[in-house]
């Protein structure tokens, strides 16, 4: 029997089966799509998903995977599936790759081995966060776009574009993106500034969402406003307070799978000390569209 319940106070849902024989591939793809459009995050639990099934499940809902060349591949999935291997520390809630023009529609997590303690994945609804920010902070981010600064050494852009890529290829790729300005150093590394709004429209609903990477990036001061002015500390403090209040934690169980709308939900992580923890993830573009009535109704 399948049960659907809310995750904390968010719109996110947990789809759970108490039947150990339940096969996740027996769930209706059409029904999951509709649920996902309305709730933005689904945790599948009790289906005893295996890592080998992970890509196949995500493929049912995806037109393509978006590679993440910073992370180590978790298997032979041609760069689609990655191991979460960024240390064991706390990671602030953020939308995936929102500091770049390569932001995916969805983030997928699969828990192979849960940590004995800690290591919960955090998530927060960007629509809720936006609605709870003060008018002053809202106006600040509505009137000023943000600039995210990236320094990309040669080895990194070669990993992304291929070993034989040249600076001409780099320029061609970067010139194709909106909001990107860059300079190239004598050592052929690229300093890139990506300008975008902190407020995005959700893919399924066209609602305002504070789905961005600001809090995660401001620790290293790699994010400023487009006019090169800093983000005021008071605004950062307010955003953190709202996010902390609305953040929900997923305590992983082995075989859990989570599907996240990256235009709506932010995700992060609690600290952990158990080195056996194994979570893999994938980023993808989704293959299903906004419902007709939603398009027409807004
Ligand atoms: Fe992330």
């Amino acid at each position: 029997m399948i049960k659907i319940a809310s995750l904390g106070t968010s719109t996110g849902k947990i789809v759970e089966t108490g039947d150990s024989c339940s096969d996740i591939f027996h769930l209706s793809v059409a029904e999951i799509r509709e649920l996902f459009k309305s709730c933005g995050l689904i945790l599948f639990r009790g289906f005893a998903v295996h890592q080998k099934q992970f890509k196949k499940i995500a493929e049912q809902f995806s037109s393509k995977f978006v590679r993440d060349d910073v992370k180590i591949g978790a298997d032979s999935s041609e760069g689609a599936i990655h191991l979460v291997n960024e240390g064991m520390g706390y990671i602030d809630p953020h939308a995936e790759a929102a500091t770049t023009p390569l932001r995916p529609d969805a983030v997928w997590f699969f828990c192979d081995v849960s940590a004995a303690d800690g290591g919960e994945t955090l998530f927060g609804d960007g629509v809720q966060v936006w609605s709870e920010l003060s008018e002053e902070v809202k106006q600040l981010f509505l009137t000023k776009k943000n600039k995210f600064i990236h320094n990309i050494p040669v080895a990194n852009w070669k990993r992304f574009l291929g070993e034989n890529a040249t600076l001409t290829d780099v320029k061609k790729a970067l010139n194709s993106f909106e909001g990107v300005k860059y300079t190239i150093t004598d050592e052929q590394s690229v300093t890139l500034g990506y300008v975008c709004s902190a407020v995005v429209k959700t893919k399924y609903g066209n609602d305002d969402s504070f789905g961005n990477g600001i809090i995660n990036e401001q620790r290293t001061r790699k994010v400023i406003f487009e006019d090169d002015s800093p983000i005021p500390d008071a605004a950062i403090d307010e955003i953190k307070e709202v996010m902390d209040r609305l953040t929900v934690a997923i305590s992983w169980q082995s075989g859990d799978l989570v599907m996240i709308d990256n235009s709506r939900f932010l995700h992060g992580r609690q600290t952990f000390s158990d080195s056996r923890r194994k979570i893999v993830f994938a980023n993808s573009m989704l293959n299903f569209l906004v419902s007709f009535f939603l398009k027409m109704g807004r």
Side-chain angles (χ1 to χ4, degrees):
M1 194 182 72
I2 304 295
K3 284 189 298 183
I4 302 176
S6 294
L7 274 170
T9 54
S10 78
T11 57
K13 301 287 183 199
I14 175 168
V15 173
E16 194 167 10
T17 174
D19 181 350
S20 59
C21 298
S22 284
D23 184 341
I24 197 164
F25 290 103
H26 290 168
L27 294 176
S28 159
V29 170
E31 284 177 21
I32 293 170
R33 283 175 177 165
E34 289 310 309
L35 180 64
F36 183 77
K37 284 180 194 176
S38 64
C39 76
L41 184 149
I42 304 176
L43 165 61
F44 298 92
R45 174 161 288 169
F47 294 93
V49 173
H50 295 289
Q51 190 177 320
K52 281 181 191 161
Q53 298 173 307
F54 179 47
K55 188 181 176 201
K56 208 173 159 199
I57 296 164
E59 268 173 347
Q60 291 182 300
F61 302 90
S62 303
S63 55
K64 67 171 183 176
F65 288 98
V66 181
R67 289 173 55 176
D68 185 330
D69 286 276
V70 178
K71 317 276 192 328
I72 297 168
D75 59 7
S76 56
S77 61
E78 296 168 346
I81 310 298
H82 305 275
L83 186 63
V84 175
N85 62 346
E86 290 177 330
M88 296 177 171
Y90 175 81
I91 298 176
D92 283 298
H94 58 280
E96 192 65 21
T99 66
T100 79
L102 296 168
R103 178 182 183 132
D105 287 342
V107 189
W108 302 79
F109 288 105
F110 164 70
C111 175
D112 191 18
V113 181
S114 58
D117 60 338
E120 296 92 345
T121 287
L122 306 172
F123 67 90
D125 184 343
V127 174
Q128 264 185 319
V129 172
W130 181 247
S131 72
E132 301 234 352
L133 290 174
S134 65
E135 275 311 311
E136 194 183 344
V137 168
K138 281 183 179 174
Q139 281 309 313
L140 184 63
F141 287 102
L142 286 173
T143 51
K144 287 187 171 195
K145 287 186 174 179
N146 291 102
K147 181 156 71 178
F148 294 95
I149 313 289
H150 300 271
N151 293 307
I152 310 169
V154 182
N156 286 27
W157 59 253
K158 288 216 171 207
R159 200 155 58 216
F160 197 79
L161 293 172
E163 268 311 305
N164 297 324
T166 64
L167 279 178
T168 304
D169 298 320
V170 172
K171 289 176 188 172
K172 196 175 163 193
L174 293 177
N175 290 341
S176 68
F177 294 120
E178 209 176 303
V180 167
K181 287 194 177 131
Y182 61 90
T183 53
I184 296 171
T185 68
D186 292 343
E187 291 78 38
Q188 299 199 339
S189 66
V190 177
T191 301
L192 183 152
Y194 175 56
V195 173
C196 62
S197 175
V199 193
V200 297
K201 292 289 183 186
T202 57
K203 185 174 175 70
Y204 304 109
N206 207 33
D207 293 311
D208 287 331
S209 167
F210 199 68
N212 56 61
I214 290 174
I215 295 301
N216 204 26
E217 295 296 315
Q218 60 83 33
R219 285 174 183 269
T220 49
R221 298 286 171 191
K222 286 181 182 166
V223 56
I224 50 180
F225 284 119
E226 185 179 14
D227 60 7
D228 291 335
S229 62
I231 301 173
D233 288 343
I236 294 291
D237 290 345
E238 180 181 323
I239 297 163
K240 280 183 177 173
E241 185 277 319
V242 171
M243 278 188 184
D244 284 350
R245 191 155 35 85
L246 297 175
T247 294
V248 179
I250 295 175
S251 295
W252 289 108
Q253 294 181 12
S254 295
D256 279 354
L257 186 147
V258 178
M259 173 184 188
I260 300 174
D261 179 344
N262 196 41
S263 70
R264 175 163 192 166
F265 274 90
L266 304 130
H267 64 276
R269 184 186 71 194
Q270 289 287 21
T271 55
F272 63 100
S273 57
D274 184 353
S275 59
R276 295 169 309 146
R277 180 185 191 263
K278 187 179 174 192
I279 306 284
V280 298
F281 78 97
N283 298 329
S284 77
M285 303 309 283
L286 295 170
N287 63 7
F288 50 104
L289 301 173
V290 182
S291 302
F292 181 72
F293 74 88
L294 272 176
K295 264 188 180 169
M296 298 303 288
R298 302 258 169 190

